[in-house]
Amino acid sequence: MLLYEYTGQVATELTIKENFVCVYQLLSEMVDSGQVVTTDMSVLRGLVPVPSLMGRVIENVSGFSTNTLASSTASHDAPWRARGIRHTTNEFFVDIVDRIDAIVDSSGTCVMYDVMGDISCKSHLSGMPHLVMTLGRARELDDVVFHPCVVRRAWDTDRTIGFVPPDGPFKLASYHVAQSLRSMPLRVLGEARCTENGMTVHVTVEPGETGSRRVENIRVRVPLDSRAYNIGVQCKSGTHIVTTSRHPQVEWTLDSIHATDSLVRLVIQYSLRSAPQTDSTDAAFVTFEVPGYSVSSIKVDALRLLRESYKLFKGVRYSTMAGSFQVRF
């Protein structure tokens, strides 16, 4: 997988032979004394250049490895960033994505709630820029894991993120948020009842707290008892797919729900080849996305450019999505 991301080629025996020097260099930079040191792509690209036809020609003709030459030139204070980078437009984009992990019981009570998130960036900046990012509610973050480019001292002192960014896409930080209020962008309830020869499952979906944002790409997956047959589904909104293999399930898809939309319902009825049990169908698994909404309220208050004189164009996007979101019946 790493070789594919690095070179764009599938890792086969032939590919490894053709890029043997590159593979060797990658393993040398990634592992030290049996311990994994780094797997960050931006750092690795700064230490080991992506293989090319010209690089192979130079190695064969001169006997010198371009990887070795690149490693020596990259050994400065920011090994994740090459020197002399130039862009016609200087842009920096930030994506803050919150993920909700939750378990909701049959009464609608949230028995487990957690918010994790990532700050992903895409940098197209010339020279050797130093950036300082200020976040709103930064002190609410804990278990923060930063990219090696971040100066940890600044974060520990005043909760600002100072860094020299790699060129291209990279993950600046991942975090956990201590939430006192359990905000739910989507309310999902489930109920399963035993009938004479099978089960009836009711699932309802309605908009929650999204700051008037639209909830998109909603998928509700309901695993069924392995003995289920004659599966019938009723729903007036969205589409559904019934899987009748060894592990039967129903997957319900809704394109979007707006804050003003009313409740929508899914009803599943099926028969069982033997007597039904109370735990035949016990949970549904939900995924969704809310573009433009931050459940953690983590915002970029300011982004300053230091040590470079050009004008910086910046863009910030927020979104909230379901992580491990389970509704029990």
Side-chain angles (χ1 to χ4, degrees):
M1 185 64 183
L2 177 65
L3 186 62
Y4 178 78
E5 290 184 3
Y6 198 84
T7 66
Q9 297 176 321
V10 178
T12 62
E13 183 179 353
L14 179 61
T15 304
I16 293 174
K17 286 182 178 179
E18 290 179 344
N19 300 281
F20 177 78
V21 176
C22 173
V23 173
Y24 183 85
Q25 288 276 343
L26 281 172
L27 292 176
S28 298
E29 298 294 349
M30 290 170 59
V31 182
D32 185 15
S33 301
Q35 300 294 323
V36 177
V37 178
T38 181
T39 58
D40 188 275
M41 294 302 299
S42 58
V43 175
L44 292 173
R45 284 198 177 99
L47 298 172
V48 183
V50 176
S52 64
L53 179 60
M54 181 59 67
R56 295 193 190 98
V57 171
I58 294 173
E59 289 177 15
N60 292 332
V61 173
S62 66
F64 292 100
S65 170
T66 54
N67 293 343
T68 305
L69 294 173
S71 296
S72 63
T73 58
S75 58
H76 51 84
D77 292 339
W80 52 85
R81 184 178 180 87
R83 295 185 183 276
I85 295 176
R86 289 289 178 265
H87 292 282
T88 54
T89 56
N90 293 284
E91 304 170 327
F92 193 85
F93 301 101
V94 182
D95 280 300
I96 297 182
V97 180
D98 292 330
R99 297 185 307 277
I100 300 175
D101 295 339
I103 297 177
V104 180
D105 66 14
S106 57
S107 66
T109 302
C110 185
V111 297
M112 193 280 285
Y113 185 91
D114 214 5
V115 176
M116 311 286 284
D118 294 321
I119 304 176
S120 299
C121 304
K122 183 179 291 185
S123 173
H124 297 293
L125 300 177
S126 303
M128 194 64 67
H130 289 239
L131 298 178
V132 178
M133 181 184 294
T134 305
L135 299 176
R137 296 193 66 201
R139 298 192 181 278
E140 302 292 329
L141 302 181
D142 56 23
D143 295 335
V144 183
V145 178
F146 288 112
H147 187 279
C149 69
V150 174
V151 180
R152 185 75 196 208
R153 184 174 61 256
W155 174 259
D156 294 337
T157 303
D158 56 9
R159 283 297 190 263
T160 59
I161 304 176
F163 59 102
V164 177
D167 194 51
F170 67 100
K171 184 191 291 186
L172 181 65
S174 59
Y175 57 84
H176 170 265
V177 184
Q179 291 282 97
S180 56
L181 298 176
R182 299 185 170 186
S183 177
M184 284 291 189
L186 198 68
R187 297 191 184 97
V188 184
L189 289 176
E191 179 186 11
R193 293 197 301 263
C194 296
T195 60
E196 184 177 353
N197 298 315
M199 297 285 295
T200 300
V201 179
H202 292 263
V203 180
T204 59
V205 175
E206 62 179 331
E209 302 169 19
T210 62
S212 74
R213 300 285 183 174
R214 186 182 296 271
V215 185
E216 300 178 354
N217 301 323
I218 304 165
R219 286 180 175 81
V220 181
R221 183 175 63 87
V222 185
L224 306 180
D225 192 291
S226 58
R227 302 164 296 165
Y229 70 102
N230 289 339
I231 303 170
V233 179
Q234 302 173 25
C235 65
K236 295 183 178 179
S237 301
T239 59
H240 67 273
I241 298 175
V242 179
T243 303
T244 58
S245 61
R246 185 177 177 183
H247 302 286
Q249 67 175 20
V250 175
E251 185 171 305
W252 183 26
T253 302
L254 298 164
D255 290 336
S256 63
I257 289 182
H258 196 267
T260 58
D261 291 343
S262 57
L263 176 147
V264 292
R265 185 185 304 272
L266 172 76
V267 180
I268 306 171
Q269 294 176 312
Y270 60 90
S271 302
L272 292 171
R273 293 185 176 86
S274 57
Q277 302 172 356
T278 54
D279 59 350
S280 294
T281 301
D282 57 3
F285 301 89
V286 185
T287 61
F288 59 82
E289 183 180 358
V290 191
Y293 175 67
S294 172
V295 70
S296 66
S297 298
I298 301 298
K299 305 283 186 180
V300 177
D301 286 346
L303 181 65
R304 292 181 293 141
L305 172 67
L306 306 177
R307 302 191 184 180
E308 294 290 347
S309 58
Y310 52 75
K311 185 176 181 181
L312 167 66
F313 175 80
K314 55 184 178 291
V316 183
R317 294 188 303 188
Y318 305 94
S319 66
T320 296
M321 60 193 306
S324 175
F325 198 103
Q326 184 182 141
V327 179
R328 294 178 177 172
F329 300 158

